[in-house]
Amino acid sequence: MGLEEYKRKRRFSETPEPPPKVEKKSRHRFVVQKHRATRLHYDFRLEMEGVLKSWAVPKGPSLDPADKRLAMQVEDHPVSYFDFEGIIPAGNYGAGTVMVWDVGTWEPLSPVPVKGEFVPGTDAEASTMLKDGDLKIRLHGKKLKGDFALVRMRSRRPGSKGTEWLLIKKKDEDVVPGYDIEQYDESALTSRSLREIAGDEGSAEWESSRKASRGKVKAPWLQETLAKMESKRKPVRAAKVQDERESATSTRTLKKKKKVS
Ligand code: MN
């Protein structure tokens, strides 16, 4: 898909979001961003084919296999979006507050289970499964763990773009019956709430100068990010006031927009 649509929707002189850049390598990271835009939703993104394949999940992911969560496929995002947490200014596409709700790595699963269990697959299998609309993955996140499937729905509506998928937890030892996402409302990077992020102006400054070198430390990309975010943390003052102001501004400006971004 590339990043043309991502680029077309944004003005990079105004938004702190990272610029469009397709990476040569993919390192199997994933991120779920909690995004308070016109409507609150969660963005589920998988690093694949040099970009972040992305779905907007209105109710957020669940660890209960009984929950089949609607996931609207949206435009690919650049890989550097994976640790974006901050404020998209009013008047811009997706204006509102973004929290990194979960981060981690993912593995492709083989489309063919062995003795009823999913086993690791290849990137080629993952690309084919994505194309075919039945992608099976294993997540190693802070909040989300275990096997999941992303299944494209067959829409009966004429003119449907085929962007409606379901995100479903598969049965394994990581299942949490009756999973309530509201109980897990803090940033995986900074432990902040959306409200605190909205009140912390510093978090809107996107820094793209991450070092390219990767040591042998476990998950160095995550440690680097954590170190960066930690150094930027500061006491949050007047978070409530800022939060309400931001929220009011976003609502006013975006009243006409209906699409989940
Ligand atoms: Mn979004």
Side-chain angles (χ1 to χ4, degrees):
M1 216 192 288
L3 296 172
E4 293 78 18
E5 190 180 349
Y6 176 86
K7 188 179 173 186
R8 185 170 54 74
K9 286 179 168 169
R10 290 167 177 80
R11 293 186 300 271
F12 295 97
S13 54
E14 294 179 26
T15 178
E17 297 167 281
K21 179 175 181 281
V22 177
E23 303 290 335
K24 290 197 182 78
K25 285 185 179 173
S26 292
R27 288 186 292 143
H28 296 99
R29 292 169 292 190
F30 84 93
V31 60
V32 179
Q33 277 148 329
K34 187 171 182 178
H35 185 184
R36 190 184 56 203
T38 314
R39 283 186 202 162
L40 181 79
H41 61 275
Y42 294 75
D43 291 300
F44 184 86
R45 311 187 197 279
L46 287 179
E47 182 178 17
M48 228 177 140
E49 301 170 359
V51 295
L52 295 177
K53 296 288 171 187
S54 299
W55 290 263
V57 186
K59 290 184 177 176
S62 174
L63 289 177
D64 186 342
D67 296 329
K68 295 176 171 41
R69 297 298 199 213
L70 177 66
M72 304 293 294
Q73 191 171 17
V74 297
E75 77 273 19
D76 293 346
H77 278 51
V79 168
S80 50
Y81 211 94
F82 88 94
D83 62 353
F84 174 68
E85 181 168 274
I87 299 165
I88 301 172
N92 287 273
Y93 182 74
T97 312
V98 179
M99 169 205 285
V100 174
W101 184 80
D102 198 17
V103 283
T105 57
W106 69 278
E107 298 175 70
L109 294 175
S110 170
V112 186
V114 175
K115 291 175 187 168
E117 293 201 354
F118 289 108
V119 294
T122 64
D123 284 350
E125 283 175 320
S127 290
T128 303
M129 287 190 288
L130 179 71
K131 214 183 297 167
D132 294 345
D134 188 2
L135 176 61
K136 294 185 175 67
I137 52 174
R138 182 166 292 164
L139 300 180
H140 306 280
K142 287 183 165 184
K143 295 186 176 88
L144 299 182
K145 297 175 199 293
D147 298 353
F148 289 79
L150 269 160
V151 184
R152 186 164 50 219
M153 293 165 77
R154 289 191 187 185
S155 178
R156 297 186 189 113
R157 286 189 293 113
S160 163
K161 289 179 190 164
T163 53
E164 294 169 347
W165 297 58
L166 293 174
L167 176 62
I168 308 164
K169 179 79 187 78
K170 306 304 274 187
K171 286 177 184 163
D172 57 22
E173 61 267 34
D174 297 303
V175 161
V176 177
Y179 187 79
D180 178 12
I181 200 165
E182 297 297 326
Q183 290 182 13
Y184 307 92
D185 185 31
E186 60 168 40
S187 166
L189 292 184
T190 63
S191 301
R192 294 179 300 175
S193 65
L194 268 180
R195 174 159 286 196
E196 286 169 330
I197 294 165
D200 179 1
E201 308 230 352
S203 65
E205 295 160 21
W206 174 257
E207 290 176 20
S208 58
S209 56
R210 268 200 312 281
K211 285 177 194 160
S213 67
R214 313 280 163 188
K216 285 187 177 174
V217 194
K218 196 181 176 195
W221 57 272
L222 188 54
Q223 299 215 347
E224 215 169 39
T225 302
L226 287 168
K228 186 181 78 181
M229 299 307 291
E230 192 61 34
S231 70
K232 282 168 73 179
R233 273 182 91 171
K234 47 192 167 192
V236 179
R237 277 183 300 128
K240 188 160 179 285
V241 175
Q242 178 71 24
D243 182 56
E244 280 161 7
R245 202 183 66 196
E246 174 69 26
S247 152
T249 316
S250 308
T251 311
R252 196 170 59 239
T253 317
L254 293 170
K255 234 172 211 168
K256 287 175 193 164
K257 289 194 182 178
K258 281 176 191 155
K259 283 184 76 176
V260 175
S261 49

